[in-house]
């Protein structure tokens, strides 16, 4: 799997590249600025791009802007955005095109390399991965809303993990239950929230996030 | 270009027409006075002719005003004599107020002086015309000017001596006054302007006194009809009315010019305002300094108790793991995992800390998106309507951001409302932000510390906070502060 990596701090860029290569990814380009990133994305058309939000030249949200611009040029180009902070505003902008193939994670998540590599694979496959912090804020904001209030505590947990972009098996593993139980919870959640049920993981994530963002 | 030429020509035409009308009126009303007073008629005609000549030479209307003023001055001179010595005014017209012709005389001088000065300026700017009127004196170097200035008073002096029995005391005084004034104008235009303004006000006041005296005299019986202005018979009431009107006009003009001639008056008026402002600035600066110091102390404490302590723990765990690796690798592994978790917690704390110092979206995108992000992070449903197309100065952005954050926290804590609205707009150099909720109302800026804090925070930027919160809601908190908007990078 070919990856374009954009990170301006040398140590992190190097560390990420080594971590990814150790998991069998191929780094086709590692860049340190926004213009370089745009060129690499459009020229190399990687399977997935891993992008730091804050990049030169302005050191604000250049990486995010380039990611969104590149996805406008190449619809559905898989991008996993990393940042020291996660902002709901930026999550919304990334999700706005409703295409999937998007991830938005705190840099800390790299500490857990298995989960991180899973996330990279999910995004590359066109899935959607949201940081737990974004999801918990989304849930917190809608907590008082009538349909969400009807969910049981366990259902809420499942909903949060679904919104983060995890598959049924990953959720089952995480909650120490069977996959069948997760699937039952998920059906119940979709009924309570009045969402069209979907077996497709990716469409399920997008539906849940759209609901929470709405 | 052509349109402008045409406009210019129209304007000149208008000036000439206006002049013709004014002159016709003046001639009709003044001629009988001259006739009766035995005044020579040629002097004003010469003045007028010279003025018109200059106007034509310069192809401008600029010379018309001075010649009209000088003409008016000459018309006033015989009137003054009438007041002073004329048989009709020897008894009682002014009643107990002893006003001989001095007042009118003063007016005549004023007109002559002003007209002469303007004419001089016009001539001086146009050497050809100046030479035509004044011979070789004009058009010379600057050094020649003071002597040239004396020319006009001299002409007037000779003219007034030659044309009347109006001599003795007033003629030399007139000349002296004119010459002195011209020199003052030349040497110190500022002083001249001040004197002129003061003169206008004095004239207006004196005129008012005279007119009121005249009115009283009228009321208590007047001896005769007053054929003022010669053949044009006007009633005394009309004359008094005219006098009052003129006096009020002079007074008004003087008062209007007063702050222009005396800038200290304006500064006196603004001194009180300045004192208040200095006081406000001192207070807001103290608050700003205190707040900054408190923020730094909080930062230091948070770092010390949080991230720093956690990093120490990480170091200790790693050291312990190092020792344990040879003997019990499993225990070492557990310690390393613990170190990793601790470092993640340290990162989380640092993130929160930075968010409290300078929120990332604010740094990235500016106030508009930062408020939108704030609205998204808020547990309430916040509607935003923000029209701030550009970036504000960084300190203003930060202050406004934290003000809005504080206000939204207040809404969440106290209002009981689940919905709020933030609107912001920048117009006319002012940034206006309003936070509205539909909760309980009854917010009191005096009682709560939150609103007072917002006010203090914004005071450093000359911002003001207005609270409208009737019991039962809705509550509107409006912020307004001056801020320059720069276009987005």
């Amino acid at each position: 799997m070919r990856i374009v990596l954009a990170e301006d701090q040398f140590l992190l860029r190097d560390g990420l590249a080594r971590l990814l290569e150790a998991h069998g990814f191929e780094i086709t380009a590692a860049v340190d600025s926004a213009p370089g990133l745009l060129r690499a994305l459009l020229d190399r058309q990687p399977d997935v791009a891993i992008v730091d939000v804050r990049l030169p030249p302005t050191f604000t949200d250049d990486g995010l802007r380039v990611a969104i611009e590149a996805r406008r040029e190449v619809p559905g180009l898989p991008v996993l955005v990393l940042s020291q902070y996660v902002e709901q505003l930026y999550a919304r902008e990334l999700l706005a095109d409703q295409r999937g193939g998007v991830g938005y994670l705190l840099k800390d998540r790299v500490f857990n390399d298995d989960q991180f590599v899973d996330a990279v694979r999910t995004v590359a496959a066109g899935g959607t991965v949201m940081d737990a912090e974004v999801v918990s804020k989304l849930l917190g904001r809608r907590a008082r809303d009538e349909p969400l209030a009807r969910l049981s505590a366990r259902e809420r947990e499942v909903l949060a993990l679904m919104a983060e972009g995890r598959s049924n098996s990953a959720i089952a593993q995480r909650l120490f239950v069977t996959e069948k139980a997760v699937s039952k919870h998920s059906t119940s959640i979709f009924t309570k929230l009045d969402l069209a049920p979907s077996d497709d993981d990716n469409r399920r994530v997008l539906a849940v996030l759209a609901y929470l963002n709405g | 270009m052509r349109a402008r030429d045409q406009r210019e020509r129209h304007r000149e035409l208008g000036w000439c027409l206006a002049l013709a009308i004014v002159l016709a009126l003046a001639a009709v009303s003044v001629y009988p006075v001259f006739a009766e007073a035995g005044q020579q008629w040629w002097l004003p005609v010469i003045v007028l002719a010279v003025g018109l000549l200059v106007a034509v030479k310069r192809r401008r209307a600029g010379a018309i005003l001075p010649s009209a003023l000088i003409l008016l001055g000459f018309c006033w001179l015989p009137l003054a004599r009438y007041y002073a010595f004329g048989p009709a005014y020897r008894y009682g017209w002014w009643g107990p107020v002893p006003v001989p012709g001095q007042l009118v005389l003063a007016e005549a001088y004023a007109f002559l002086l002003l007209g002469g000065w303007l004419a001089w300026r016009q001539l001086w700017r146009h050497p050809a015309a100046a030479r035509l009127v004044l011979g070789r004196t004009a058009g010379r170097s600057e050094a020649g000017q003071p002597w040239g200035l004396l020319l006009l008073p001299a002409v007037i002096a000779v003219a007034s001596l030659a044309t009347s029995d109006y001599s003795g005391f007033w003629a030399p005084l007139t000349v002296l006054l004119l010459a002195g004034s011209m020199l003052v104008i030349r040497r110190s235009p500022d002083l001249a302007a001040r004197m002129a303004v003061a003169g206008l006000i004095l004239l207006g006041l004196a005129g008012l006194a005279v007119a009121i005296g005249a009115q009283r005299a009228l009321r208590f019986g007047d001896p005769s009809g007053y054929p003022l202005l010669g053949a044009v018979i006007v009633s005394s009431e009309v004359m008094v009315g005219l006098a009052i009107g003129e006096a009020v006009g002079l007074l008004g003009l003087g008062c209007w010019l007063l702050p222009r001639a005396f800038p200290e008056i304006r500064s006196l008026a603004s001194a009180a305002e300045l004192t208040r402002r200095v006081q406000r600035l001192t207070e807001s600066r103290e608050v700003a300094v205190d707040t900054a110091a408190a923020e730094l102390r909080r930062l230091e404490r948070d770092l010390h108790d949080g991230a720093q302590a956690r990093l120490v723990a990480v170091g200790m765990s790693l050291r312990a793991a190092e020792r344990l690796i040879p003997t019990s690798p499993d225990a070492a592994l557990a310690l390393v995992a613990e170190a990793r978790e601790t470092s993640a917690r340290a990162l989380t704390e640092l993130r929160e800390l930075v968010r409290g110092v300078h929120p990332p979206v604010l740094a990235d995108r500016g106030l508009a998106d930062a408020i939108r992000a704030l609205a998204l992070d808020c547990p309430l449903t916040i509607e935003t309507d923000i029209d701030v197309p550009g970036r504000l100065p960084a300190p203003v952005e930060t202050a406004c951001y934290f003000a809005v954050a504080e206000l939204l926290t207040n809404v969440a804590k106290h209002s009981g409302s689940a919905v709020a609205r933030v609107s912001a707009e920048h117009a006319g150099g002012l940034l206006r932000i309003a936070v509205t909720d539909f909760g309980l109302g009854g917010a009191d800026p005096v009682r709560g510390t939150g609103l007072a804090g917002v006010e203090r925070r914004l005071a450093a930027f000359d911002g003001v906070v207005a609270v409208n919160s009737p019991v039962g809601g809705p509550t509107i908190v409006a912020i307004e502060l001056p801020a320059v908007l720069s276009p987005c990078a």
Side-chain angles (χ1 to χ4, degrees):
Chain A
M1 203 175 276
R2 294 159 59 249
I3 291 184
V4 164
L5 181 61
E7 164 63 61
D8 60 313
Q9 282 168 325
F10 170 75
L11 277 177
L12 253 174
R13 188 170 66 236
D14 200 46
L16 270 173
R18 260 189 284 171
L19 185 149
L20 290 163
E21 275 165 354
H23 283 83
F25 295 94
E26 178 200 342
I27 307 293
T28 159
V31 298
D32 61 359
S33 76
L37 171 63
L38 189 62
R39 264 199 311 280
L41 286 180
L42 298 182
D43 294 351
R44 309 272 171 107
Q45 300 256 341
D47 296 316
V48 59
I50 297 175
V51 174
D52 182 13
V53 167
R54 191 164 285 191
L55 284 179
T58 70
F59 291 99
T60 58
D61 56 347
D62 305 54
L64 181 78
R65 284 170 197 268
V66 166
I68 290 170
E69 194 186 328
R71 277 169 66 83
R72 215 177 296 132
E73 298 278 319
V74 186
L77 177 77
V79 176
L80 174 59
V81 174
L82 292 181
S83 175
Q84 292 285 13
Y85 318 89
V86 290
E87 290 290 343
Q88 288 192 64
L89 190 76
Y90 295 173
R92 274 182 177 229
E93 289 175 3
L94 280 169
L95 290 169
D97 63 4
Q98 288 280 323
R99 280 187 174 274
V102 165
Y104 186 34
L105 290 178
L106 273 176
K107 278 188 182 167
D108 317 11
R109 308 301 176 212
V110 180
F111 286 2
N112 190 331
D113 56 347
D114 291 336
Q115 266 186 32
F116 177 67
V117 166
D118 272 353
V120 174
R121 292 219 168 87
T122 307
V123 172
T128 302
V129 174
M130 276 296 121
D131 197 273
E133 199 171 304
V134 174
V135 173
S136 75
K137 273 186 187 163
L138 283 174
L139 281 170
R141 201 157 67 87
R142 303 289 303 264
R144 285 196 229 163
D145 289 12
E146 180 53 26
L148 274 182
R150 270 185 278 150
L151 297 185
S152 69
R154 183 37 72 99
E155 280 167 353
R156 257 165 208 266
E157 271 178 287
V158 174
L159 177 68
L161 291 168
M162 271 174 12
E164 285 173 32
R166 289 176 211 271
S167 64
N168 275 0
S169 60
I171 297 173
Q173 210 181 340
R174 180 82 178 258
L175 297 179
F176 305 109
V177 292
T178 61
E179 232 179 290
K180 211 171 159 195
V182 173
S183 149
K184 221 179 81 194
H185 283 310
S186 133
T187 314
S188 163
I189 291 166
F190 271 65
T191 315
K192 283 185 183 172
L193 299 186
D194 204 16
L195 294 173
S198 167
D199 289 335
D200 178 350
D201 276 352
N202 186 30
R203 248 185 272 155
R204 188 176 74 172
V205 180
L206 289 177
V208 168
L209 285 173
Y211 174 82
L212 291 175
N213 263 323
Chain B
M1 201 63 194
R2 178 164 290 180
R4 211 171 66 189
D5 284 352
Q6 209 165 9
R7 252 204 322 274
E8 194 89 348
R9 222 170 293 143
H10 283 166
R11 195 181 297 148
E12 279 182 27
L13 200 66
W15 268 107
C16 291
L17 274 176
L19 174 78
I21 293 168
V22 168
L23 285 183
L25 283 175
V28 166
S29 56
V30 167
Y31 175 74
V33 182
F34 283 103
E36 204 173 312
Q39 178 81 17
Q40 301 289 332
W41 55 268
W42 49 267
L43 194 60
V45 173
I46 289 176
V47 172
L48 195 61
V50 170
L52 281 178
L53 200 66
V54 175
V56 170
K57 264 271 171 193
R58 296 204 54 185
R59 294 177 220 280
R60 288 273 171 78
I64 291 168
L65 183 66
S67 39
L69 280 171
I70 294 176
L71 181 68
L72 215 56
F74 275 116
C75 296
W76 244 242
L77 277 175
L79 258 185
R81 201 180 40 189
Y82 239 62
Y83 279 129
F85 312 112
Y89 309 103
R90 196 162 291 160
Y91 313 105
W93 200 88
W94 301 107
V97 184
V99 179
Q102 280 92 331
L103 189 66
V104 189
L105 208 54
E107 276 183 72
Y109 295 150
F111 285 132
L112 285 174
L113 187 63
L114 197 61
W117 181 58
L118 283 175
W120 179 257
R121 285 182 53 128
Q122 296 282 349
L123 288 171
W124 198 255
R125 279 199 211 135
H126 201 273
R131 269 198 294 280
L132 192 75
V133 182
L134 302 172
R136 292 170 57 84
T137 325
R140 287 254 184 93
S141 66
E142 285 283 309
Q145 275 201 46
W147 300 111
L149 276 171
L150 291 176
L151 204 65
L152 195 70
V155 168
I156 292 169
V158 171
S160 58
L161 283 173
T163 55
S164 68
D165 48 347
Y166 172 76
S167 54
F169 177 63
W170 288 108
L173 192 65
T174 310
V175 176
L176 267 178
L177 259 175
L178 279 171
S181 312
M182 294 304 254
L183 279 175
V184 170
I185 289 173
R186 170 86 187 96
R187 285 276 153 89
S188 169
D190 280 354
L191 185 62
R194 288 168 175 219
M195 282 165 62
V197 169
L200 276 175
I201 291 176
L202 283 176
L203 262 178
L205 286 174
L208 264 185
V210 167
I212 290 165
Q215 202 177 22
R216 284 185 48 161
L218 270 180
R219 205 178 300 153
F220 300 116
D222 62 80
S224 57
Y226 303 105
L228 264 187
L229 295 179
V232 186
I233 306 297
V234 232
S235 75
S236 317
E237 283 83 0
V238 172
M239 276 314 292
V240 169
L242 282 176
I244 291 181
E246 190 195 344
V248 169
L250 290 174
L251 206 58
L253 187 65
C255 291
W256 182 63
L257 288 171
L258 200 61
R260 287 168 178 74
F262 296 86
E264 353 12 338
I265 289 180
R266 221 179 317 180
S267 49
L268 261 181
S270 58
E273 169 61 23
L274 276 176
T275 314
R276 271 200 302 281
R277 187 159 164 67
V278 167
Q279 199 176 345
R280 267 207 309 277
L281 283 177
T282 313
E283 281 166 16
S284 65
R285 189 181 64 175
E286 271 167 21
V287 170
V289 170
D290 284 355
T291 315
E295 284 284 290
L296 284 176
R297 274 197 301 279
R298 186 183 64 82
L299 260 179
E300 190 274 334
R301 210 168 42 234
D302 285 359
L303 279 172
H304 181 267
D305 299 348
Q308 266 178 338
R310 301 222 183 276
L311 286 175
V312 171
V314 168
M316 282 162 59
S317 298
L318 287 176
R319 174 74 192 123
E322 244 176 357
R323 284 214 190 112
L324 281 174
I325 286 172
T327 52
S328 50
D330 287 349
L333 212 56
L335 274 175
V336 170
E338 194 187 303
R340 193 185 64 194
E341 267 167 36
T342 311
S343 73
R345 269 203 295 281
L347 269 177
T348 309
E349 281 173 9
L350 280 174
R351 205 155 36 231
E352 290 306 315
L353 209 63
V354 170
R355 203 180 282 281
V357 176
H358 196 65
V361 183
L362 189 63
D364 293 353
R365 302 273 184 91
L367 187 63
D369 270 354
I371 291 180
R372 286 188 194 109
L374 201 58
L376 286 174
D377 283 347
C378 185
L380 309 175
T381 306
I382 312 279
E383 193 187 319
T384 54
D385 173 18
I386 297 166
D387 181 20
V388 185
R391 292 295 294 260
L392 299 156
V396 174
E397 276 188 340
T398 311
C400 289
Y401 175 88
F402 284 109
V404 172
E406 176 74 39
L407 292 176
L408 287 179
T409 310
N410 278 355
V411 172
K413 264 201 275 186
H414 306 300
S415 77
S417 170
V419 187
R421 188 186 148 77
V422 182
S423 63
E425 59 157 358
H426 186 276
L430 283 177
L431 176 68
R432 292 192 189 85
I433 303 175
V435 177
T436 310
D437 71 65
F438 307 95
L440 304 169
D444 186 356
V446 181
R447 279 206 321 257
T449 53
L451 281 170
V454 170
E455 205 158 19
R456 273 202 306 275
R457 201 186 269 279
L458 294 174
F461 302 94
D462 284 334
V464 288
V465 181
V467 181
N468 181 0
S469 180
V471 174
T475 300
I476 303 174
V477 181
I479 294 167
E480 186 178 282
L481 71 166
V484 183
L485 199 65
S486 53
C488 275

